[in-house]
Amino acid sequence: MKKLASLFLAAALIAPASLAAAEYPAMNVRLSHNQPVGSPEDVGAQTFKKLMEEKSGGRITVDVFPQMQLGSMREQAEMVQMGTLEMSVQPTSVLTPFVEELSVIDFPFLWADKDELYRIMDGEVGGKFYAFCEKKGFKTLGLWASGFKQITTKGRPVNAPEDLKGMKIRVMPSPQLVEQYKSWGANPIPIEYAELYNALQQNIVDGQENPLQTIAMAKLYEVQDYLTISDHGFLGYLFIVNRRWFEKQGEDVRKLIVECERGAREAERLAQAEGEARFLGQIKQSKIAVGELTDENRAKFIAVSKPLHDKFVEGSATKAELLKAVYEAKEAR
């Protein structure tokens, strides 16, 4: 609890004091996400709630709905798009069917590390991605962190692409992820997150990909034999708001929302970074065997993954331009 309190305090310092003096209309907004109470996403959501309510003098209240209480991930995204829900925090892969340009963020082995990702997505290039979201009804305020994805399997470990041959791997309902795992030799099966544990337990699938926090908090290690630290892709979340609802608000309210999201984003990223070692320790205490890709095997994965970057932008000038912008930003560090 002390750590959570320090996160709230740090985030509060980020929001400008000038917001406290504004006159705000009385309103209630709802914010949903998919992860359990106490997860980094929940820390961020609760920080957003705290900042909004404090800075508005209690005039604006925020109800947080964690752990898919308002429906599946796709259903929550649809609710925000339609305006029946004001705000949500959803994975980029979930939002890709609505905004195909976001798929570039999920390209395998695109990001060198989190610092590079944050630098690019918090800047001008990130704004280019978010502009496409606005055309589909979403006001996107920032990218939150779930962490780099790792692979868990049952029966045999994955040390190289050839180890995935014939394995049934659960992926989010994303055509790009399906194609990615097919190129690695696996048989990808899209399954909603709420059904993942049961699908692994009942051998509907042999494995899955997720960040360490999800593997630990959902206790996926209970129904898997091997964990491979692969860091093959980043599972980012976007804080989305219904665009029409956002634009109807006064300038002070819009400014407040933007500033409070920024503070919540910093708190969420900090909680995610601090939690990774703890989550890995929790996983290692189980029966699951933990391994890492060797440099040689990582090179194998990269060799079969990099051609996918060009393949995934074929026929889309906008995605090709975004990929080029990311490459250029990577080189400009």
Side-chain angles (χ1 to χ4, degrees), residues 15-313:
S18 60
L19 289 176
E23 291 290 336
Y24 298 105
M27 71 172 74
N28 175 262
V29 298
R30 294 164 300 157
L31 169 61
S32 73
H33 66 85
N34 312 314
Q35 296 299 320
V37 172
S39 65
E41 290 84 357
D42 191 58
V43 169
Q46 294 295 338
T47 301
F48 180 80
K49 170 184 172 68
K50 183 177 180 67
L51 291 175
M52 286 287 291
E53 294 179 352
E54 287 184 349
K55 296 296 180 181
S56 70
R59 297 283 293 171
I60 301 175
T61 58
V62 179
D63 292 333
V64 176
F65 296 88
Q67 212 159 356
M68 294 186 289
Q69 291 181 4
L70 298 185
S72 70
M73 293 186 289
R74 181 182 176 88
E75 287 170 339
Q76 292 173 70
E78 289 175 340
M79 291 170 67
V80 173
Q81 187 182 47
M82 293 185 296
T84 55
L85 174 65
E86 291 83 16
M87 307 171 179
S88 189
V89 182
Q90 292 298 323
T92 52
S93 293
V94 171
L95 296 170
T96 294
F98 303 90
V99 188
E100 64 174 346
E101 287 81 7
L102 294 176
S103 66
V104 175
I105 301 172
D106 295 327
F107 282 7
F109 295 100
L110 176 62
W111 308 104
D113 51 40
K114 285 189 290 188
D115 289 341
E116 178 181 83
L117 172 67
Y118 295 160
R119 174 177 62 82
I120 293 174
M121 291 304 298
D122 289 350
E124 181 181 351
V125 175
K128 293 180 179 180
F129 280 95
Y130 304 155
F132 288 103
C133 296
E134 294 207 12
K135 297 177 182 178
K136 298 301 175 69
F138 302 108
K139 176 69 177 179
T140 303
L141 301 185
L143 183 138
W144 291 21
S146 188
F148 278 97
K149 294 184 288 187
Q150 322 300 346
I151 299 172
T152 68
T153 51
K154 182 182 292 185
R156 67 174 185 265
V158 172
N159 297 313
E162 53 264 30
D163 296 328
L164 283 163
K165 186 175 182 179
M167 295 192 80
K168 296 176 293 183
I169 302 296
R170 177 267 176 182
V171 296
M172 282 192 247
S174 162
Q176 180 172 297
L177 290 176
V178 169
E179 184 62 29
Q180 174 182 313
Y181 273 89
K182 282 184 178 179
S183 75
W184 291 353
N187 177 20
I189 300 177
I191 295 175
E192 282 288 344
Y193 176 67
E195 304 299 323
L196 175 55
Y197 187 97
N198 288 338
L200 294 169
Q201 186 179 47
Q202 297 170 13
N203 298 316
I204 296 173
V205 289
D206 305 308
Q208 61 87 48
E209 61 164 20
N210 257 305
L212 292 174
Q213 73 171 56
T214 301
I215 295 169
M217 299 194 77
K219 298 184 178 181
L220 302 181
Y221 53 78
E222 294 179 342
V223 288
Q224 295 278 264
D225 299 327
Y226 301 95
L227 164 64
T228 302
I229 304 298
S230 54
D231 289 344
H232 60 275
F234 195 86
L235 181 53
Y237 278 67
L238 295 180
F239 190 107
I240 54 174
V241 181
N242 176 266
R243 180 179 60 80
R244 289 184 179 178
W245 177 86
F246 182 82
E247 292 175 349
K248 286 180 181 179
Q249 307 308 313
E251 181 180 355
D252 287 338
V253 173
R254 295 197 303 270
K255 183 178 180 181
L256 178 67
I257 292 170
V258 169
E259 294 297 336
C260 290
E261 185 280 329
R262 187 177 301 159
R265 188 194 322 163
E266 293 299 321
E268 192 276 340
R269 289 178 179 178
L270 179 59
Q272 191 276 329
E274 291 182 343
E276 284 217 318
R278 183 176 73 254
F279 291 134
L280 183 57
Q282 177 183 337
I283 293 168
K284 286 183 173 179
Q285 290 177 0
S286 70
K287 65 177 180 62
I288 198 169
V290 180
E292 294 187 33
L293 293 180
T294 64
D295 290 343
E296 179 182 358
N297 285 331
R298 176 172 293 277
K300 289 182 180 179
F301 268 108
I302 292 174
V304 297
S305 299
K306 283 299 180 69
L308 292 174
H309 294 189
D310 290 332
K311 182 176 182 179
F312 288 155
V313 300

